[in-house]
Amino acid sequence: MSDEDRLRQAQAAMDRRDFVTAYEALVELQRSGLLDGEGLYALSDAAWWLGLIRETIEICEECHERFLAEGQVDRAAMVALETGMQWAMRGEPDVGSGWLSRARRLLDGRPSSVGHGYLLWIDAEGRFAAGDVDGALAGAVELQRLAVELDQPVLGCFGLALHGMVAIRAGETSRGFELLDEALLPVLAGRVGPAESGNLYCQMISICTDLGDLSRARRWTEATERWCDQFSSAVMFTGICRVHRAQLLRVQGDWDEAERAAAAACAELADLNVEAVAEAHYEIGESRRHRGDLAGAAAAYEQAAALGRLPEPGRSLLLLAEGRRDQADASVRSALAEQADPFRRARLLAAQVEIACRRADVATADAATAELEAIADTYGSPGFTAWAKTARAEVLLGSGAPADAVAPLREALAAYRRMGARPEEATTRTLLERAVAGAAAPPAAPGGLTAREWEILCAVAEGLSNREVAARLVISEKTVARHLANVYAKLGVPSRTAAAAWAHQEGLH
């Protein structure tokens, strides 16, 4: 076969996304010294899809120099950008930053190009991660404008996706998902390259998972897996999909299968994506903890931590499972003190409620539940809402109000069933049985009040303030106020004074 035939074969293989055939043909051409800058770029692309990351970076560096020698500055800058992102994903941000700086210098003062768009996207994503929402939104809007100017749909996709992320973080969840859905339209129409398509699919799954929207995360994970099946090899995206699949399997209670999927992802992505590998180790820890393999879970959490993933709330719940309740309390408090992101706080707050209730610390559980309820109200996430309902029920059970816990537990149970969250469904069913049994007991106080409501009413009738009642009963003032509202409703009285007078008539005890 002639070199020209090999080149045509390689180009045809790249077009049909047969990266194995393309790689083999391009390697032969490289050995013959017949690849120009574009040929080297195609070889680096094929190597990347095959998961040969070290070889990819070496070829990219050679390709970058070749483009500069050929006078193709924009192409050289684009390769520098991609090389920088590859180093960053491998967990070497300093090297990555150097390559991004080189790309920025090469593009400075040149006419607008795709490279400028990618730099704009990277900067805007960085602002979003740092909490600069206004800066991120401005970048997203500019990306959409630049996409039209340059007729580059991929930039518009990135801009819309980032705009959607910003909207969701602002509590405009429905609007945010509309923008994300729109961002994926060019992907579905085949107008965006495979690497960029994979990135957008991953962004969609990640935000669904972060929000606890398991049904949506499951649909997009399945769609991405089908998309990966188009390729002869797609190591990066297949590995990331395995991590998301492990998360879903763990939530479903398929802990053995979840661990196998996460372990496969660790092997596939070892040199490619340190953040995804860290998440996979955390998932292994979660599956082991649920199975009761506490020592194995601790080891997996440590591996996740070594790669930069804070192993929470898993590590705090592991301490609780080991019977170290005070250490679990301190651990989750420390994690919350360092975490401002509401999506991550939601998980930590749910864990704090569980830990606090096991310690009979109803005041802490109540405060954590109130914050979790606020997050659920803001984002309308099915997962957050179910967690908040369960947390509120646990507080009510701990406060001696099992009847009031029945309704939120039934709502949470239905939500977990819809999401396919079997372990949470089983736990919630147990709590519901406990609440129903407690509510069916003979009334312990006059007027249909629960024992806790009568206790609070008697304290109020003694002249105690809400704060003093809370201190006496070791609960929060919000819990006192909530019980008093129930008291007023049950007794049909309009005020604190009238409720106290009713209590005196019934005889304080």
Side-chain angles (χ1 to χ4, degrees):
M1 182 183 296
S2 68
D3 291 334
E4 291 77 9
D5 289 337
R6 285 196 183 92
L7 184 57
R8 282 194 294 271
Q9 181 189 55
Q11 290 170 337
M14 290 296 291
D15 290 341
R16 67 175 182 270
R17 299 173 183 177
D18 179 359
F19 299 112
V20 173
T21 300
Y23 175 79
E24 291 173 350
L26 289 166
V27 165
E28 288 296 321
L29 290 167
Q30 183 191 32
R31 289 170 181 163
S32 303
L34 297 175
L35 293 183
D36 60 4
E38 291 297 343
L40 283 170
Y41 182 79
L43 177 57
S44 71
D45 195 24
W48 184 85
W49 281 95
L50 296 175
L52 307 172
I53 190 62
R54 294 180 184 177
E55 185 174 342
T56 299
I57 290 176
E58 290 175 2
I59 298 169
C60 279
E61 292 177 356
E62 182 182 351
C63 180
H64 171 74
E65 295 299 329
R66 185 71 62 86
F67 276 135
L68 285 177
E70 293 171 359
Q72 298 191 63
V73 178
D74 287 347
R75 295 292 287 126
M78 193 67 198
V79 172
L81 278 168
E82 293 175 3
T83 305
M85 289 189 285
Q86 288 161 5
W87 277 109
M89 282 192 293
R90 290 192 69 200
E92 307 236 19
D94 294 339
V95 180
S97 176
W99 277 100
L100 293 179
S101 177
R102 178 177 292 184
R104 200 180 302 277
R105 177 175 53 78
L106 289 171
L107 291 171
D108 187 32
R110 295 184 63 80
S112 295
S113 66
V114 176
H116 288 93
Y118 272 77
L119 267 181
L120 179 62
W121 172 57
I122 291 168
D123 290 344
E125 288 277 359
R127 292 191 184 98
F128 183 58
D132 180 4
V133 176
D134 292 338
L137 181 57
V141 172
E142 177 61 15
L143 269 170
Q144 294 169 65
R145 185 202 66 76
L146 194 60
V148 175
E149 176 188 329
L150 300 176
D151 190 23
Q152 289 288 335
V154 65
L155 299 181
C157 292
F158 286 155
L160 282 168
L162 182 55
H163 196 163
M165 298 285 192
V166 171
I168 289 172
R169 290 286 176 166
E172 301 173 15
T173 306
S174 296
R175 174 58 177 157
F177 275 118
E178 288 174 1
L179 290 165
L180 283 162
D181 289 340
E182 184 181 352
L184 281 159
L185 291 178
V187 172
L188 299 174
R191 299 182 62 211
V192 174
E196 293 82 1
S197 297
N199 184 292
L200 288 161
Y201 274 123
C202 288
Q203 285 192 54
M204 177 64 92
I205 299 170
S206 292
I207 191 62
C208 295
T209 303
D210 287 348
L211 268 173
D213 192 338
L214 299 181
S215 298
R216 195 188 295 260
R218 188 174 290 109
R219 290 196 299 272
W220 280 108
T221 298
E222 291 168 354
T224 307
E225 288 170 341
R226 289 193 298 271
W227 175 81
C228 286
D229 289 341
Q230 302 175 50
F231 308 104
S232 61
S233 178
V235 175
M236 173 72 82
F237 297 118
T238 300
I240 292 174
C241 273
R242 286 194 204 280
V243 179
H244 293 305
R245 176 57 63 188
Q247 292 169 332
L248 293 170
L249 288 167
R250 186 253 305 165
V251 170
Q252 292 167 200
D254 297 333
W255 298 317
D256 291 342
E257 193 61 35
E259 181 170 346
R260 280 192 286 270
C266 288
E268 290 170 339
L269 301 175
D271 283 337
L272 289 169
N273 191 320
V274 67
E275 184 177 343
V277 173
E279 192 64 36
H281 281 299
Y282 180 78
E283 283 303 317
I284 291 172
E286 288 289 88
S287 293
R288 290 175 178 174
R289 177 174 63 82
H290 282 292
R291 286 204 313 267
D293 178 7
L294 303 188
Y301 290 145
E302 286 305 314
Q303 287 179 294
L307 293 173
R309 205 285 192 194
L310 182 68
E312 293 289 353
R315 186 161 56 189
S316 294
L317 293 171
L318 175 62
L319 290 168
L320 182 66
E322 292 172 338
R324 296 191 280 171
R325 297 180 182 182
D326 290 344
Q327 293 96 320
D329 175 63
S331 178
V332 78
R333 285 178 186 274
S334 175
L336 279 164
E338 297 174 4
Q339 185 57 257
D341 179 83
F343 297 169
R344 296 192 181 276
R345 285 189 70 82
R347 288 161 173 77
L348 291 167
L349 290 164
Q352 186 175 43
V353 172
E354 182 178 348
I355 292 166
C357 286
R358 290 278 293 277
R359 299 177 70 245
D361 183 356
V362 180
T364 295
D366 185 52
T369 297
E371 185 180 347
L372 181 55
E373 287 170 334
I375 293 173
D377 289 343
T378 298
Y379 297 104
S381 153
F384 292 174
T385 301
W387 300 345
K389 295 287 184 184
T390 303
R392 176 53 62 200
E394 289 183 278
V395 170
L396 290 167
L397 286 169
S399 301
D404 294 333
V406 171
L409 283 170
R410 284 178 174 158
E411 292 179 52
L413 185 63
Y416 291 135
R417 190 175 293 119
R418 287 193 297 270
M419 290 188 290
R422 296 193 193 100
E424 283 82 358
E425 182 183 342
T427 300
T428 305
R429 187 178 290 108
T430 299
L431 289 172
L432 180 58
E433 291 169 356
R434 175 182 158 197
V436 170
L449 302 182
T450 66
R452 177 64 91 181
E453 289 166 351
W454 177 247
E455 189 175 19
I456 289 173
L457 177 57
C458 289
V460 167
E462 291 177 37
L464 272 64
S465 67
N466 282 14
R467 177 174 295 180
E468 290 168 331
V469 175
R472 172 188 285 185
L473 302 180
V474 198
I475 58 178
S476 72
E477 289 185 61
K478 288 184 179 179
T479 298
V480 173
R482 188 177 294 110
H483 281 306
L484 281 176
N486 291 336
V487 168
Y488 300 159
K490 288 180 179 181
L491 301 184
V493 298
S495 66
R496 186 187 194 90
T497 301
W502 185 92
H504 281 290
Q505 291 174 4
E506 290 295 323
L508 296 178
H509 57 81

